[in-house]
Amino acid sequence: MDNRWKPSVTVAAVIERGGRFLLVEEHTAEGLRLNNPAGHLDPGESPADGVARETLEETTHRFTPTALVGVYLSRFQRAGRDGQPDEDITYLRFAFCGELGEVVAGRTLDTGIVRTLWMTPDEIRASSARHRSPLVLRCMEDHLAGQRHPLSLVFTDASVGQDSPHR
């Protein structure tokens, strides 16, 4: 039996333009929630590649990460439903800021994403009860505080993408 703890690795884009931040509104088991464009890191990709992919899938915009805002750990617990066991998941999130590019013609929002919206910091703070994770607010606050780290801080060895059975 494997008792090794394995957090779920996620990537998130913290995108600011004109004093507003780009969020997505998405369907979750807890109802409609607000989140950064974010998702799970796929096998065979670097965190920087993963955040570019997730942003495109959830917003239809290209995204080029330029800095790491931070690395975050959070825990999510949910009571089991319909005979399912309780969920207890720890997320390891790599949050990046960067340049939001053009909309890719013909793309549609990923399944579960209702819409994208631009919100002020005060609107985001006031809507914390609707956040998918407490990290939505923390990442924004760190970004506003000027927290930036070079992309080289997160190194991805070439072996990650080589002959990945998941690609």
Side-chain angles (χ1 to χ4, degrees):
M1 184 168 162
D2 186 4
N3 292 324
R4 186 172 300 222
W5 175 65
K6 296 177 184 172
S8 294
V9 179
T10 62
V11 291
V14 182
I15 302 167
E16 181 185 14
R17 185 181 281 169
R20 293 179 176 269
F21 287 84
L22 180 61
L23 297 182
V24 297
E25 186 175 49
E26 60 186 330
H27 288 288
T28 72
E30 289 72 42
L32 281 177
R33 294 287 186 248
L34 298 170
N35 199 5
N36 305 100
H40 291 270
L41 184 65
D42 282 351
E45 71 184 354
S46 70
D49 289 342
V51 75
R53 175 188 50 77
E54 284 291 346
T55 303
L56 177 61
E57 290 174 357
E58 294 193 356
T59 71
T60 72
H61 284 265
R62 294 194 191 283
F63 177 73
T64 304
T66 57
L68 179 72
V69 175
V71 180
Y72 306 86
L73 206 59
S74 69
R75 185 175 178 192
F76 177 75
Q77 296 175 292
R78 176 191 305 143
R81 298 177 185 166
D82 301 324
Q84 296 295 316
D86 292 352
E87 287 185 87
D88 188 353
I89 305 168
T90 299
Y91 291 101
L92 176 64
R93 175 187 266 210
F94 292 84
F96 296 89
C97 61
E99 299 298 322
L100 187 66
E102 73 280 355
V103 169
V104 175
R107 295 267 336 186
T108 58
L109 297 176
D110 205 6
T111 303
I113 305 296
V114 175
R115 64 183 174 141
T116 60
L117 57 160
W118 291 93
M119 298 177 72
T120 66
D122 286 341
E123 290 169 334
I124 293 171
R125 291 178 189 113
S127 65
S128 64
R130 294 191 56 223
H131 294 177
R132 180 145 191 196
S133 157
L135 298 181
V136 173
L137 184 57
R138 177 60 191 255
C139 290
M140 180 198 72
E141 297 292 4
D142 287 350
H143 183 274
L144 287 170
Q147 188 164 295
R148 309 283 190 283
H149 306 282
L151 292 177
S152 62
L153 190 66
V154 181
F155 174 76
T156 302
D157 188 74
S159 63
V160 170
Q162 290 177 345
D163 300 322
S164 174
H166 303 284
R167 281 196 142 182

PDB file of all heavy atoms in Angstrom, residues 16 18-21 23 34 117-131 136-137 140-141 144:
ATOM      1  N   GLU A  16      -3.265  41.076 -14.415  1.00  0.00           N
ATOM      2  CA  GLU A  16      -3.762  42.416 -14.098  1.00  0.00           C
ATOM      3  C   GLU A  16      -3.658  43.293 -15.336  1.00  0.00           C
ATOM      4  O   GLU A  16      -2.679  43.265 -16.064  1.00  0.00           O
ATOM      5  CB  GLU A  16      -2.944  43.034 -12.964  1.00  0.00           C
ATOM      6  CG  GLU A  16      -3.442  44.416 -12.582  1.00  0.00           C
ATOM      7  CD  GLU A  16      -2.562  45.103 -11.547  1.00  0.00           C
ATOM      8  OE1 GLU A  16      -1.432  44.652 -11.305  1.00  0.00           O
ATOM      9  OE2 GLU A  16      -3.016  46.111 -10.982  1.00  0.00           O
ATOM     10  N   GLY A  18      -4.945  47.407 -16.174  1.00  0.00           N
ATOM     11  CA  GLY A  18      -5.682  48.609 -15.812  1.00  0.00           C
ATOM     12  C   GLY A  18      -6.258  48.582 -14.412  1.00  0.00           C
ATOM     13  O   GLY A  18      -7.346  49.115 -14.179  1.00  0.00           O
ATOM     14  N   GLY A  19      -5.562  47.945 -13.474  1.00  0.00           N
ATOM     15  CA  GLY A  19      -6.048  47.894 -12.092  1.00  0.00           C
ATOM     16  C   GLY A  19      -7.113  46.848 -11.834  1.00  0.00           C
ATOM     17  O   GLY A  19      -7.687  46.804 -10.747  1.00  0.00           O
ATOM     18  N   ARG A  20      -7.395  46.000 -12.813  1.00  0.00           N
ATOM     19  CA  ARG A  20      -8.374  44.920 -12.659  1.00  0.00           C
ATOM     20  C   ARG A  20      -7.693  43.579 -12.925  1.00  0.00           C
ATOM     21  O   ARG A  20      -6.731  43.513 -13.680  1.00  0.00           O
ATOM     22  CB  ARG A  20      -9.553  45.090 -13.623  1.00  0.00           C
ATOM     23  CG  ARG A  20     -10.408  46.306 -13.305  1.00  0.00           C
ATOM     24  CD  ARG A  20     -11.560  46.437 -14.309  1.00  0.00           C
ATOM     25  NE  ARG A  20     -12.411  47.548 -13.943  1.00  0.00           N
ATOM     26  CZ  ARG A  20     -13.482  47.450 -13.154  1.00  0.00           C
ATOM     27  NH1 ARG A  20     -13.831  46.286 -12.664  1.00  0.00           N
ATOM     28  NH2 ARG A  20     -14.194  48.516 -12.864  1.00  0.00           N
ATOM     29  N   PHE A  21      -8.242  42.535 -12.298  1.00  0.00           N
ATOM     30  CA  PHE A  21      -7.685  41.199 -12.453  1.00  0.00           C
ATOM     31  C   PHE A  21      -8.665  40.310 -13.208  1.00  0.00           C
ATOM     32  O   PHE A  21      -9.872  40.379 -12.983  1.00  0.00           O
ATOM     33  CB  PHE A  21      -7.389  40.592 -11.081  1.00  0.00           C
ATOM     34  CG  PHE A  21      -6.203  41.208 -10.409  1.00  0.00           C
ATOM     35  CD1 PHE A  21      -6.335  42.379  -9.680  1.00  0.00           C
ATOM     36  CD2 PHE A  21      -4.949  40.640 -10.531  1.00  0.00           C
ATOM     37  CE1 PHE A  21      -5.241  42.967  -9.067  1.00  0.00           C
ATOM     38  CE2 PHE A  21      -3.850  41.221  -9.925  1.00  0.00           C
ATOM     39  CZ  PHE A  21      -3.987  42.381  -9.196  1.00  0.00           C
ATOM     40  N   LEU A  23     -10.460  37.013 -13.804  1.00  0.00           N
ATOM     41  CA  LEU A  23     -10.889  35.796 -13.116  1.00  0.00           C
ATOM     42  C   LEU A  23     -11.835  35.015 -14.016  1.00  0.00           C
ATOM     43  O   LEU A  23     -12.353  35.550 -15.005  1.00  0.00           O
ATOM     44  CB  LEU A  23     -11.596  36.125 -11.802  1.00  0.00           C
ATOM     45  CG  LEU A  23     -10.775  36.841 -10.726  1.00  0.00           C
ATOM     46  CD1 LEU A  23     -11.615  37.039  -9.468  1.00  0.00           C
ATOM     47  CD2 LEU A  23      -9.497  36.105 -10.410  1.00  0.00           C
ATOM     48  N   LEU A  34     -15.414  31.687  -8.129  1.00  0.00           N
ATOM     49  CA  LEU A  34     -14.455  32.529  -8.835  1.00  0.00           C
ATOM     50  C   LEU A  34     -13.059  31.974  -8.623  1.00  0.00           C
ATOM     51  O   LEU A  34     -12.721  31.531  -7.523  1.00  0.00           O
ATOM     52  CB  LEU A  34     -14.518  33.968  -8.315  1.00  0.00           C
ATOM     53  CG  LEU A  34     -15.848  34.687  -8.492  1.00  0.00           C
ATOM     54  CD1 LEU A  34     -15.845  36.000  -7.710  1.00  0.00           C
ATOM     55  CD2 LEU A  34     -16.118  34.940  -9.969  1.00  0.00           C
ATOM     56  N   LEU A 117     -14.206  37.423 -16.222  1.00  0.00           N
ATOM     57  CA  LEU A 117     -14.574  38.759 -15.787  1.00  0.00           C
ATOM     58  C   LEU A 117     -13.368  39.470 -15.205  1.00  0.00           C
ATOM     59  O   LEU A 117     -12.442  38.843 -14.691  1.00  0.00           O
ATOM     60  CB  LEU A 117     -15.729  38.727 -14.782  1.00  0.00           C
ATOM     61  CG  LEU A 117     -15.600  37.938 -13.502  1.00  0.00           C
ATOM     62  CD1 LEU A 117     -16.622  38.449 -12.498  1.00  0.00           C
ATOM     63  CD2 LEU A 117     -15.864  36.470 -13.723  1.00  0.00           C
ATOM     64  N   TRP A 118     -13.377  40.785 -15.354  1.00  0.00           N
ATOM     65  CA  TRP A 118     -12.325  41.645 -14.820  1.00  0.00           C
ATOM     66  C   TRP A 118     -12.848  42.292 -13.550  1.00  0.00           C
ATOM     67  O   TRP A 118     -13.903  42.922 -13.570  1.00  0.00           O
ATOM     68  CB  TRP A 118     -11.941  42.715 -15.842  1.00  0.00           C
ATOM     69  CG  TRP A 118     -11.235  42.147 -17.038  1.00  0.00           C
ATOM     70  CD1 TRP A 118     -11.799  41.757 -18.211  1.00  0.00           C
ATOM     71  CD2 TRP A 118      -9.834  41.911 -17.170  1.00  0.00           C
ATOM     72  NE1 TRP A 118     -10.837  41.285 -19.066  1.00  0.00           N
ATOM     73  CE2 TRP A 118      -9.616  41.379 -18.454  1.00  0.00           C
ATOM     74  CE3 TRP A 118      -8.734  42.102 -16.319  1.00  0.00           C
ATOM     75  CZ2 TRP A 118      -8.348  41.030 -18.912  1.00  0.00           C
ATOM     76  CZ3 TRP A 118      -7.474  41.759 -16.777  1.00  0.00           C
ATOM     77  CH2 TRP A 118      -7.295  41.227 -18.069  1.00  0.00           C
ATOM     78  N   MET A 119     -12.110  42.124 -12.457  1.00  0.00           N
ATOM     79  CA  MET A 119     -12.555  42.636 -11.162  1.00  0.00           C
ATOM     80  C   MET A 119     -11.463  43.478 -10.518  1.00  0.00           C
ATOM     81  O   MET A 119     -10.274  43.191 -10.673  1.00  0.00           O
ATOM     82  CB  MET A 119     -12.924  41.475 -10.232  1.00  0.00           C
ATOM     83  CG  MET A 119     -14.083  40.626 -10.747  1.00  0.00           C
ATOM     84  SD  MET A 119     -14.459  39.205  -9.667  1.00  0.00           S
ATOM     85  CE  MET A 119     -15.194  40.039  -8.259  1.00  0.00           C
ATOM     86  N   THR A 120     -11.890  44.496  -9.774  1.00  0.00           N
ATOM     87  CA  THR A 120     -10.942  45.318  -9.026  1.00  0.00           C
ATOM     88  C   THR A 120     -10.490  44.545  -7.781  1.00  0.00           C
ATOM     89  O   THR A 120     -11.182  43.613  -7.337  1.00  0.00           O
ATOM     90  CB  THR A 120     -11.588  46.641  -8.573  1.00  0.00           C
ATOM     91  OG1 THR A 120     -12.618  46.341  -7.616  1.00  0.00           O
ATOM     92  CG2 THR A 120     -12.145  47.435  -9.739  1.00  0.00           C
ATOM     93  N   PRO A 121      -9.379  44.941  -7.182  1.00  0.00           N
ATOM     94  CA  PRO A 121      -8.969  44.294  -5.938  1.00  0.00           C
ATOM     95  C   PRO A 121     -10.057  44.346  -4.857  1.00  0.00           C
ATOM     96  O   PRO A 121     -10.287  43.342  -4.164  1.00  0.00           O
ATOM     97  CB  PRO A 121      -7.722  45.076  -5.523  1.00  0.00           C
ATOM     98  CG  PRO A 121      -7.135  45.518  -6.834  1.00  0.00           C
ATOM     99  CD  PRO A 121      -8.337  45.851  -7.678  1.00  0.00           C
ATOM    100  N   ASP A 122     -10.736  45.489  -4.733  1.00  0.00           N
ATOM    101  CA  ASP A 122     -11.797  45.581  -3.726  1.00  0.00           C
ATOM    102  C   ASP A 122     -12.952  44.631  -4.036  1.00  0.00           C
ATOM    103  O   ASP A 122     -13.536  44.040  -3.116  1.00  0.00           O
ATOM    104  CB  ASP A 122     -12.306  47.021  -3.605  1.00  0.00           C
ATOM    105  CG  ASP A 122     -11.323  47.920  -2.870  1.00  0.00           C
ATOM    106  OD1 ASP A 122     -10.438  47.392  -2.152  1.00  0.00           O
ATOM    107  OD2 ASP A 122     -11.434  49.154  -3.017  1.00  0.00           O
ATOM    108  N   GLU A 123     -13.312  44.475  -5.291  1.00  0.00           N
ATOM    109  CA  GLU A 123     -14.375  43.529  -5.666  1.00  0.00           C
ATOM    110  C   GLU A 123     -13.946  42.096  -5.355  1.00  0.00           C
ATOM    111  O   GLU A 123     -14.755  41.284  -4.891  1.00  0.00           O
ATOM    112  CB  GLU A 123     -14.712  43.669  -7.153  1.00  0.00           C
ATOM    113  CG  GLU A 123     -15.421  44.957  -7.488  1.00  0.00           C
ATOM    114  CD  GLU A 123     -15.528  45.213  -8.983  1.00  0.00           C
ATOM    115  OE1 GLU A 123     -14.685  44.702  -9.770  1.00  0.00           O
ATOM    116  OE2 GLU A 123     -16.453  45.951  -9.384  1.00  0.00           O
ATOM    117  N   ILE A 124     -12.684  41.791  -5.585  1.00  0.00           N
ATOM    118  CA  ILE A 124     -12.186  40.446  -5.292  1.00  0.00           C
ATOM    119  C   ILE A 124     -12.190  40.198  -3.791  1.00  0.00           C
ATOM    120  O   ILE A 124     -12.628  39.143  -3.325  1.00  0.00           O
ATOM    121  CB  ILE A 124     -10.788  40.236  -5.913  1.00  0.00           C
ATOM    122  CG1 ILE A 124     -10.912  40.233  -7.445  1.00  0.00           C
ATOM    123  CG2 ILE A 124     -10.150  38.940  -5.409  1.00  0.00           C
ATOM    124  CD1 ILE A 124      -9.595  40.250  -8.185  1.00  0.00           C
ATOM    125  N   ARG A 125     -11.744  41.170  -3.030  1.00  0.00           N
ATOM    126  CA  ARG A 125     -11.758  41.023  -1.565  1.00  0.00           C
ATOM    127  C   ARG A 125     -13.182  40.833  -1.055  1.00  0.00           C
ATOM    128  O   ARG A 125     -13.438  40.020  -0.168  1.00  0.00           O
ATOM    129  CB  ARG A 125     -11.118  42.243  -0.915  1.00  0.00           C
ATOM    130  CG  ARG A 125      -9.625  42.348  -1.138  1.00  0.00           C
ATOM    131  CD  ARG A 125      -9.050  43.615  -0.505  1.00  0.00           C
ATOM    132  NE  ARG A 125      -7.670  43.807  -0.906  1.00  0.00           N
ATOM    133  CZ  ARG A 125      -7.245  44.807  -1.685  1.00  0.00           C
ATOM    134  NH1 ARG A 125      -8.076  45.750  -2.122  1.00  0.00           N
ATOM    135  NH2 ARG A 125      -5.969  44.899  -2.006  1.00  0.00           N
ATOM    136  N   ALA A 126     -14.124  41.592  -1.609  1.00  0.00           N
ATOM    137  CA  ALA A 126     -15.519  41.535  -1.154  1.00  0.00           C
ATOM    138  C   ALA A 126     -16.214  40.234  -1.554  1.00  0.00           C
ATOM    139  O   ALA A 126     -17.237  39.879  -0.964  1.00  0.00           O
ATOM    140  CB  ALA A 126     -16.296  42.732  -1.712  1.00  0.00           C
ATOM    141  N   SER A 127     -15.666  39.518  -2.524  1.00  0.00           N
ATOM    142  CA  SER A 127     -16.308  38.288  -2.996  1.00  0.00           C
ATOM    143  C   SER A 127     -15.598  37.034  -2.502  1.00  0.00           C
ATOM    144  O   SER A 127     -15.802  35.951  -3.055  1.00  0.00           O
ATOM    145  CB  SER A 127     -16.340  38.288  -4.535  1.00  0.00           C
ATOM    146  OG  SER A 127     -15.016  38.228  -5.054  1.00  0.00           O
ATOM    147  N   SER A 128     -14.821  37.136  -1.436  1.00  0.00           N
ATOM    148  CA  SER A 128     -14.004  36.009  -0.984  1.00  0.00           C
ATOM    149  C   SER A 128     -14.829  34.759  -0.661  1.00  0.00           C
ATOM    150  O   SER A 128     -14.333  33.637  -0.797  1.00  0.00           O
ATOM    151  CB  SER A 128     -13.134  36.404   0.202  1.00  0.00           C
ATOM    152  OG  SER A 128     -13.926  36.743   1.311  1.00  0.00           O
ATOM    153  N   ALA A 129     -16.081  34.914  -0.259  1.00  0.00           N
ATOM    154  CA  ALA A 129     -16.928  33.749   0.028  1.00  0.00           C
ATOM    155  C   ALA A 129     -17.203  32.926  -1.232  1.00  0.00           C
ATOM    156  O   ALA A 129     -17.561  31.753  -1.135  1.00  0.00           O
ATOM    157  CB  ALA A 129     -18.246  34.189   0.659  1.00  0.00           C
ATOM    158  N   ARG A 130     -17.028  33.536  -2.400  1.00  0.00           N
ATOM    159  CA  ARG A 130     -17.269  32.840  -3.674  1.00  0.00           C
ATOM    160  C   ARG A 130     -15.984  32.325  -4.316  1.00  0.00           C
ATOM    161  O   ARG A 130     -16.028  31.762  -5.407  1.00  0.00           O
ATOM    162  CB  ARG A 130     -17.981  33.775  -4.658  1.00  0.00           C
ATOM    163  CG  ARG A 130     -19.383  34.151  -4.221  1.00  0.00           C
ATOM    164  CD  ARG A 130     -20.149  34.845  -5.341  1.00  0.00           C
ATOM    165  NE  ARG A 130     -20.181  34.007  -6.532  1.00  0.00           N
ATOM    166  CZ  ARG A 130     -19.981  34.475  -7.776  1.00  0.00           C
ATOM    167  NH1 ARG A 130     -19.729  35.731  -7.993  1.00  0.00           N
ATOM    168  NH2 ARG A 130     -20.027  33.656  -8.809  1.00  0.00           N
ATOM    169  N   HIS A 131     -14.849  32.508  -3.674  1.00  0.00           N
ATOM    170  CA  HIS A 131     -13.591  32.050  -4.258  1.00  0.00           C
ATOM    171  C   HIS A 131     -13.486  30.535  -4.187  1.00  0.00           C
ATOM    172  O   HIS A 131     -13.876  29.924  -3.195  1.00  0.00           O
ATOM    173  CB  HIS A 131     -12.401  32.672  -3.540  1.00  0.00           C
ATOM    174  CG  HIS A 131     -12.308  34.154  -3.709  1.00  0.00           C
ATOM    175  ND1 HIS A 131     -11.339  34.901  -3.096  1.00  0.00           N
ATOM    176  CD2 HIS A 131     -13.047  35.032  -4.423  1.00  0.00           C
ATOM    177  CE1 HIS A 131     -11.489  36.178  -3.424  1.00  0.00           C
ATOM    178  NE2 HIS A 131     -12.534  36.276  -4.220  1.00  0.00           N
ATOM    179  N   VAL A 136      -6.835  32.474  -4.259  1.00  0.00           N
ATOM    180  CA  VAL A 136      -7.213  33.521  -5.221  1.00  0.00           C
ATOM    181  C   VAL A 136      -6.848  34.887  -4.642  1.00  0.00           C
ATOM    182  O   VAL A 136      -6.175  35.697  -5.295  1.00  0.00           O
ATOM    183  CB  VAL A 136      -8.714  33.451  -5.575  1.00  0.00           C
ATOM    184  CG1 VAL A 136      -9.137  34.629  -6.440  1.00  0.00           C
ATOM    185  CG2 VAL A 136      -9.053  32.132  -6.262  1.00  0.00           C
ATOM    186  N   LEU A 137      -7.281  35.126  -3.429  1.00  0.00           N
ATOM    187  CA  LEU A 137      -7.017  36.408  -2.770  1.00  0.00           C
ATOM    188  C   LEU A 137      -5.534  36.560  -2.429  1.00  0.00           C
ATOM    189  O   LEU A 137      -4.933  37.616  -2.662  1.00  0.00           O
ATOM    190  CB  LEU A 137      -7.873  36.534  -1.511  1.00  0.00           C
ATOM    191  CG  LEU A 137      -7.788  37.849  -0.758  1.00  0.00           C
ATOM    192  CD1 LEU A 137      -8.155  39.028  -1.642  1.00  0.00           C
ATOM    193  CD2 LEU A 137      -8.703  37.797   0.469  1.00  0.00           C
ATOM    194  N   MET A 140      -3.424  37.442  -5.473  1.00  0.00           N
ATOM    195  CA  MET A 140      -3.638  38.831  -5.885  1.00  0.00           C
ATOM    196  C   MET A 140      -2.898  39.778  -4.954  1.00  0.00           C
ATOM    197  O   MET A 140      -2.228  40.712  -5.412  1.00  0.00           O
ATOM    198  CB  MET A 140      -5.127  39.176  -5.903  1.00  0.00           C
ATOM    199  CG  MET A 140      -5.383  40.611  -6.333  1.00  0.00           C
ATOM    200  SD  MET A 140      -7.021  41.252  -5.889  1.00  0.00           S
ATOM    201  CE  MET A 140      -6.872  41.450  -4.115  1.00  0.00           C
ATOM    202  N   GLU A 141      -3.016  39.555  -3.658  1.00  0.00           N
ATOM    203  CA  GLU A 141      -2.353  40.438  -2.692  1.00  0.00           C
ATOM    204  C   GLU A 141      -0.831  40.388  -2.862  1.00  0.00           C
ATOM    205  O   GLU A 141      -0.169  41.431  -2.795  1.00  0.00           O
ATOM    206  CB  GLU A 141      -2.753  40.076  -1.258  1.00  0.00           C
ATOM    207  CG  GLU A 141      -4.224  40.247  -0.945  1.00  0.00           C
ATOM    208  CD  GLU A 141      -4.744  41.688  -0.933  1.00  0.00           C
ATOM    209  OE1 GLU A 141      -3.990  42.633  -1.242  1.00  0.00           O
ATOM    210  OE2 GLU A 141      -5.938  41.862  -0.611  1.00  0.00           O
ATOM    211  N   LEU A 144      -0.024  42.410  -5.939  1.00  0.00           N
ATOM    212  CA  LEU A 144      -0.131  43.846  -5.662  1.00  0.00           C
ATOM    213  C   LEU A 144       1.043  44.347  -4.815  1.00  0.00           C
ATOM    214  O   LEU A 144       1.461  45.496  -4.948  1.00  0.00           O
ATOM    215  CB  LEU A 144      -1.454  44.158  -4.955  1.00  0.00           C
ATOM    216  CG  LEU A 144      -2.701  44.072  -5.825  1.00  0.00           C
ATOM    217  CD1 LEU A 144      -3.959  44.168  -4.963  1.00  0.00           C
ATOM    218  CD2 LEU A 144      -2.697  45.137  -6.904  1.00  0.00           C
TER     219      LEU A 144
END
